[in-house]
Amino acid sequence: MIRAMQVCAQHRWTQAPADTVVLDFDDRHRRRMAMTGTRGLAFLLDLENAVVLRGGDALVLEDGRLIEVVAAPEPLVEIRGSDPHHLVRVAWHLGNRHLPAQITARGLRIRRDHVIEAMVRGLGARVIEIEAPFDPEGGAYAGGGHAPESGPHEHAVHDHSSHDHGDHHHHDEHCDHDHQHGQSHAHDHK
């Protein structure tokens, strides 16, 4: 089976993809996994370290072809506050529970969880059920590796004291960008 051994960062590639994989948040945190693209191309994701794949990344196959990563819609809730201060207060409570949270222009997004939703409502926030790709913040230790042109590169918020922070991805001639590696941001979740 052909292997994908490298990741090319979000939209930093120009070659047409040979296929596409549509993955939810959990399936985008991998090191090794057999996958089949939407057009039927079977391959083995075989990375040196577990990485956080982002929608728009490309997996580089051994023969140079690219597989586009698309973030699948998931059941989420969008949390809206009465004003920015209120939303920051809610965000603090979510962060205090180490919950992955995505920040949007309109509010915060988390995975559906009736207990957390009740807590957020108790804080006076509005909770709206949605289906959307989940792309949570990375936190202070996520690093700044390959930020998209429009904003920061984000990862799940969690404790960093107990797992490896290896390289996020490897570059080759298929990736059309440069970036610096300070603290790297790969997380061995599985």
Side-chain angles (χ1 to χ4, degrees):
M1 178 178 283
I2 193 164
R3 296 181 302 162
M5 299 175 63
Q6 298 177 351
V7 177
C8 194
Q10 291 180 319
H11 308 292
R12 305 292 173 105
W13 41 277
T14 56
Q15 178 182 332
D19 210 334
T20 301
V21 288
V22 180
L23 305 169
D24 68 15
F25 179 65
D26 288 333
D27 283 339
R28 292 194 323 267
H29 292 224
R30 299 293 177 172
R31 184 191 81 74
R32 187 175 166 93
M33 179 175 155
M35 296 183 171
T36 302
T38 59
R39 292 181 227 140
L41 179 62
F43 65 97
L44 176 65
L45 178 67
D46 191 13
L47 303 173
E48 186 175 323
N49 297 298
V51 300
V52 178
L53 299 171
R54 315 305 284 176
D57 283 352
L59 304 174
V60 183
L61 297 176
E62 292 172 299
D63 64 6
R65 292 180 293 165
L66 302 179
I67 306 295
E68 181 179 12
V69 176
V70 173
E74 303 183 48
L76 306 174
V77 292
E78 187 161 286
I79 301 164
R80 305 238 179 111
S82 57
D83 58 46
H85 181 266
H86 182 223
L87 197 57
V88 167
R89 184 170 168 255
V90 171
W92 183 89
H93 284 279
L94 296 174
N96 195 42
R97 285 157 183 81
H98 299 281
L99 293 173
Q102 180 178 352
I103 299 171
T104 71
R106 301 182 85 184
L108 304 169
R109 291 181 180 174
I110 62 169
R111 288 180 152 166
R112 290 184 189 164
D113 178 323
H114 69 279
V115 172
I116 299 301
E117 291 169 39
M119 176 199 72
V120 167
R121 283 186 186 99
L123 293 168
R126 184 173 166 215
V127 175
I128 304 162
E129 291 185 1
I130 64 170
E131 294 268 334
F134 188 47
D135 197 21
E137 281 289 317
Y141 301 101
H146 60 272
E149 300 300 325
S150 61
H153 193 75
E154 304 164 353
H155 298 281
V157 177
H158 57 276
D159 177 65
H160 285 71
S161 63
S162 63
H163 56 267
D164 178 40
H165 287 92
D167 289 331
H168 176 76
H169 59 267
H170 305 280
H171 294 280
D172 67 7
E173 67 278 3
H174 303 285
C175 297
D176 297 335
H177 70 287
D178 296 317
H179 68 276
Q180 298 76 35
H181 281 281
Q183 280 187 337
S184 59
H185 46 268
H187 308 292
D188 191 15
H189 291 288
K190 303 219 182 237

